[in-house]
């Protein structure tokens, strides 16, 4: 009857699936109470669907300095999520390729949401990022040693913790590498020590990685075996 449409709508009693929230397919039904002046002339139920909501990912820092550990950008915000659900969506993210980037280079990291999520990533699903070489100062301590029957070598100083260094020794000839030695020198002579640094491509070395040093005769030898 004209003018009673809102009254009839207000009398409707909704049945199953009226409180559907998550993504999925549902059926809702509606009936009128027994005492109503109206009866429903069409189907009393209706199928409906809730589809995934599109979201866009916002990534944080994309430039990193090598530190020997896994580094990658992280999603810092999710746009277009339902108010109050942004943290929930971020917690559901599954990070994909290049998640274990350690060494210097350029990488791509991606993030998706699980099949069961109410959201789907349609923007910012992946991002490029870079790990740059870390600047490291190196130096040597010790240029001259007195022969005493023991091996002698300068100390290699490096400010980067956890660096893996091995050393090679050569006889010095006019400041250049000559014959390679089997170990640390003990006898009088001029030598070159070379620091062999593992993962050197990850380091921007400032300083010399080789060093000339000398082992000189002992004072006792120079004075005919008498101490001075």
């Amino acid at each position: 009857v004209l003018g009673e449409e809102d009254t009839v709508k207000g009398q409707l009693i909704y049945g199953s699936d009226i409180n559907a929230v998550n993504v999925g397919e549902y059926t809702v039904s509606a009936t009128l109470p027994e005492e109503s002046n109206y009866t429903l002339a069409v189907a009393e139920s209706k199928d409906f669907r809730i589809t995934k909501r599109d979201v866009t990912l916002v990534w944080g820092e994309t430039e990193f300095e090598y530190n020997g550990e896994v580094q990658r950008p992280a999603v810092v915000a999710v746009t277009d999520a339902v108010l109050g659900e942004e943290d929930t969506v971020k917690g559901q993210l599954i990070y994909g390729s290049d998640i274990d980037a350690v060494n210097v280079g350029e990488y791509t990291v991606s993030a998706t949401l699980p099949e069961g999520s109410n959201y789907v990533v349609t923007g910012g699903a992946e991002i490029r990022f870079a790990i740059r070489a870390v600047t490291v100062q190196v130096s040597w301590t010790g240029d001259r040693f007195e022969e005493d029957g023991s091996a002698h070598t300068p100390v290699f100083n490096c400010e980067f913790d956890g660096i893996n260094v091995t050393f090679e020794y050569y006889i010095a000839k006019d400041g250049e590498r000559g014959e390679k030695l089997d170990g640390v020198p003990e006898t009088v002579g001029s030598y070159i020590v070379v620091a062999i640094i593992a993962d050197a491509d990850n380091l921007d070395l400032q300083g010399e990685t080789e060093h000339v040093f000398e082992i000189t005769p002992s004072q006792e030898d120079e004075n005919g075996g008498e101490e001075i």
Side-chain angles (χ1 to χ4, degrees):
V1 174
L2 184 65
E4 292 192 2
E5 180 180 337
D6 289 342
T7 299
V8 176
K9 286 195 294 183
Q11 291 177 342
L12 287 171
I13 301 169
Y14 290 95
S16 61
D17 291 341
I18 186 174
N19 294 321
V21 174
N22 297 315
V23 169
E25 295 184 352
Y26 301 90
T27 299
V28 63
S29 62
T31 59
L32 287 166
E34 188 70 29
E35 63 271 18
S36 175
N37 294 321
Y38 295 88
T39 184
L40 296 175
V42 294
E44 298 180 354
S45 64
K46 182 71 174 179
D47 294 334
F48 68 100
R49 175 182 298 175
I50 297 177
T51 59
K52 292 177 181 285
R53 186 182 181 99
D54 294 346
V55 291
T56 297
L57 306 182
V58 179
W59 297 84
E61 182 180 0
T62 57
E63 290 278 341
F64 300 90
E65 188 176 78
Y66 173 77
N67 65 2
E69 299 177 357
V70 172
Q71 298 184 92
R72 62 161 173 79
V75 172
V76 296
V78 177
T79 62
D80 301 323
V82 172
L83 185 64
E85 292 192 4
E86 179 179 326
D87 288 343
T88 299
V89 177
K90 285 195 291 184
Q92 293 176 340
L93 288 171
I94 302 168
Y95 290 94
S97 59
D98 289 345
I99 188 173
D100 294 329
V102 176
N103 296 315
V104 167
E106 294 189 351
Y107 302 88
T108 298
V109 64
S110 61
T112 59
L113 287 164
E115 187 65 32
S117 176
N118 291 321
Y119 296 88
V120 61
V121 177
T122 56
E126 66 178 32
I127 194 167
R128 295 283 294 172
F129 69 101
I131 297 176
R132 306 301 185 196
V134 59
T135 299
V136 176
Q137 296 290 336
V138 297
S139 62
W140 298 88
T141 302
D143 299 313
R144 187 180 297 270
F145 303 89
E146 186 175 291
E147 184 184 37
D148 61 4
S150 299
H152 292 285
T153 182
V155 174
F156 182 68
N157 307 302
C158 178
E159 63 182 19
F160 189 78
D161 292 336
I163 192 169
N164 185 10
V165 185
T166 56
F167 300 97
E168 294 179 351
Y169 295 89
Y170 298 83
I171 295 173
K173 291 186 176 181
D174 299 323
E176 301 294 331
R177 299 184 198 177
E179 180 184 349
K180 184 178 179 181
L181 302 178
D182 292 332
V184 183
E186 300 178 3
T187 58
V188 171
S190 182
Y191 303 96
I192 294 177
V193 57
V194 180
I196 308 299
I197 300 173
D199 299 324
D201 290 343
N202 293 318
L203 310 176
D204 178 14
L205 296 172
Q206 301 295 308
E208 298 297 328
T209 55
E210 64 178 70
H211 184 69
V212 178
F213 68 101
E214 288 185 276
I215 298 178
T216 61
S218 68
Q219 290 295 314
E220 182 176 336
D221 290 340
E222 290 186 349
N223 289 277
E226 296 180 5
E227 294 189 13
I228 59 170

